[in-house]
Amino acid sequence: AEHQHVRYNPLRDDWVLVSAHRVKRPWQGQLEKPPPEDVPRWDPKNPLCPGATRANGEVNPQYEGTFVFPNDFPALQPDAPEPDDSDHPLFRAAPARGVCKVMCFHPWSDLTLPLMSLPEIRAVIDAWAELATELGASYPWVQIFENKGAMMGCSNPHPHCQVWASSFLPNEACLEDRTQRQHLSQCGVPMLLEYAEQEARRKERLVVENADWLVVVPYWATWPYQTLLLPRRHVCRLQDLSDSERDSLASIMQRLLIKYDNLFEVSFPYSMGWHGAPTGPYLKEDCKHWQLHAHYYPPLLRSATVRKFMVGYEMLAQAQRDLTPEQAAERLRSLPEVHYKKRAE
């Protein structure tokens, strides 16, 4: 806890430098603005609200639950032309096609997932699974991700996520496919299934758990309060979850996100996303080396206004963190599971 060391990340086949003593250094750098607390519940100028007009002129329906629509500014399109042939191996390009969708979690802009009810969170999970099934029927990779908060690039104060389906396996997917396949071949058990069993037994990095799921600050975590959400049984894809597992997933997500908000008593920013076995043509292949999981990457380090910057050494050498995963997990674990905004109710 007091001396620097490096830790191996078997999922990414790389290392992270842990320098716990650095968190004690004085901070005179950038201070972030806390997220606004006065977000209106409905704003006709907010393009994600029910009944609002989006940039392309389309009017949203008066939705009352989740709402999915094509991204008006997609990074991937299904009919993109082939790139020109390269005249040199150092200048290669390849086709990239796909679709991008936006999914609103709730009609109210002043809500986030930790403040939603369990049935409302369960509806989000069901919508995720439906999209993973629908888009995964033809696309090899379906990336569900949420950028929460302006600090993580979210440009709209409304509870929502994005879903990008691509004709190729992105870098992180290729990397996790290789490392998990190698681990199963060498050890005879899926890597993250074995890892979940170890963390459940050791408990030093455990944040929350229930009968079907556990959340840990991974041994190899890069971001200060990064967490990994894992099922206890072997599950390859989000759409493979049973009804009871989806209910318990809603519960553990709510508990984790309440703790996140309670850490600095602020709507906690993060980027999160689901990783599972590839789809499309991979549905016919053996993907038992994969274990479903979700990554949460929050940037805050010391307070609601002091974030961790991944620059300099991190960009040019390797990842580095300023407190141990065990310290982060203990702090998150000890936080109450009643949201700070509801304690006075």
Side-chain angles (χ1 to χ4, degrees):
E2 294 295 328
H3 301 286
Q4 67 267 20
H5 59 282
V6 292
R7 296 190 183 191
Y8 180 62
N9 180 347
L11 194 57
R12 300 196 78 258
D13 189 24
D14 64 9
W15 294 81
V16 57
L17 172 62
V18 182
S19 310
H21 55 284
R22 275 174 53 85
V23 80
K24 299 176 182 177
R25 73 192 192 281
W27 181 259
Q28 294 180 321
Q30 178 172 322
L31 297 180
E32 307 291 337
K33 290 183 179 180
E37 296 283 348
D38 56 348
V39 175
R41 179 156 293 181
W42 184 83
D43 182 352
K45 297 179 182 178
N46 186 329
L48 299 187
C49 282
T53 302
R54 304 203 307 274
N56 62 359
E58 293 192 21
V59 178
N60 296 334
Q62 295 291 340
Y63 66 92
E64 297 181 353
T66 60
F67 170 50
V68 179
F69 62 92
N71 194 314
D72 297 330
F73 303 96
L76 293 163
Q77 296 178 324
D79 53 357
E82 297 271 341
D84 295 334
D85 292 334
S86 173
D87 62 356
H88 193 282
L90 293 179
F91 300 93
R92 290 186 296 168
R97 299 185 179 94
V99 297
C100 299
K101 294 182 179 289
V102 176
M103 186 181 114
C104 296
F105 297 154
H106 196 280
W108 294 356
S109 293
D110 59 343
L111 280 190
T112 55
L113 281 171
L115 293 169
M116 288 166 54
S117 69
L118 288 177
E120 289 168 340
I121 299 174
R122 167 64 196 266
V124 170
I125 294 167
D126 287 339
W128 281 343
E130 289 172 11
L131 282 170
T133 301
E134 173 194 337
L135 298 174
S138 54
Y139 287 102
W141 190 254
V142 180
Q143 184 59 66
I144 298 167
F145 65 97
E146 178 193 4
N147 294 325
K148 183 189 175 198
M151 200 181 299
M152 298 308 291
C154 180
S155 60
N156 195 292
H158 192 94
H160 71 286
C161 73
Q162 298 189 54
V163 183
W164 293 11
S166 61
S167 61
F168 55 91
L169 289 188
N171 294 343
E172 292 296 311
C174 287
L175 186 55
E176 290 193 2
D177 185 72
R178 175 175 64 81
T179 58
Q180 290 181 96
R181 188 185 299 274
Q182 185 177 26
H183 186 91
L184 180 64
S185 175
Q186 294 176 348
C187 304
V189 60
M191 177 199 295
L192 292 181
L193 183 63
E194 181 179 8
Y195 179 69
E197 292 170 350
Q198 287 288 321
E199 290 287 30
R201 179 173 61 83
R202 296 170 186 253
K203 296 190 180 303
E204 58 188 330
R205 284 170 295 276
L206 192 66
V207 177
V208 287
E209 65 178 329
N210 61 26
D212 300 313
W213 301 87
L214 70 159
V215 176
V216 300
V217 177
Y219 177 78
W220 53 79
T222 298
W223 294 93
Y225 293 97
Q226 175 181 336
T227 54
L228 183 64
L229 171 58
L230 294 162
R232 292 185 185 271
R233 77 169 177 96
H234 188 202
V235 185
C236 287
R237 299 179 177 93
L238 189 64
Q239 53 267 45
D240 298 334
L241 296 174
S242 67
D243 279 346
S244 62
E245 286 170 332
R246 294 184 187 195
D247 284 339
S248 58
L249 174 57
S251 173
I252 204 163
M253 283 175 55
Q254 185 188 61
R255 293 170 63 197
L256 169 65
L257 298 179
I258 286 174
K259 284 181 177 289
Y260 268 162
D261 280 11
N262 284 345
L263 179 61
F264 299 130
E265 294 197 349
V266 69
S267 184
F268 206 67
Y270 58 74
S271 284
M272 70 81 64
W274 285 99
H275 283 174
T279 49
Y282 294 90
L283 292 171
K284 298 178 181 178
E285 296 187 8
D286 185 357
C287 291
K288 64 176 179 289
H289 55 289
W290 271 92
Q291 174 73 332
L292 176 70
H293 58 283
H295 297 283
Y296 284 83
Y297 298 128
L300 292 179
L301 173 59
R302 303 186 187 204
S303 69
T305 60
V306 178
R307 68 181 298 177
K308 167 68 177 179
F309 287 91
M310 291 292 184
V311 296
Y313 188 87
E314 292 87 354
M315 296 176 70
L316 298 166
Q318 69 180 34
Q320 180 270 334
R321 63 177 292 119
D322 301 295
L323 73 165
T324 68
E326 294 75 26
Q327 291 168 332
E330 182 179 14
R331 187 165 182 189
L332 288 172
R333 187 169 54 244
S334 66
L335 291 166
E337 295 188 10
V338 175
H339 199 278
Y340 72 92
K341 289 186 175 181
K342 295 186 176 182
R343 287 178 199 160
E345 294 181 1

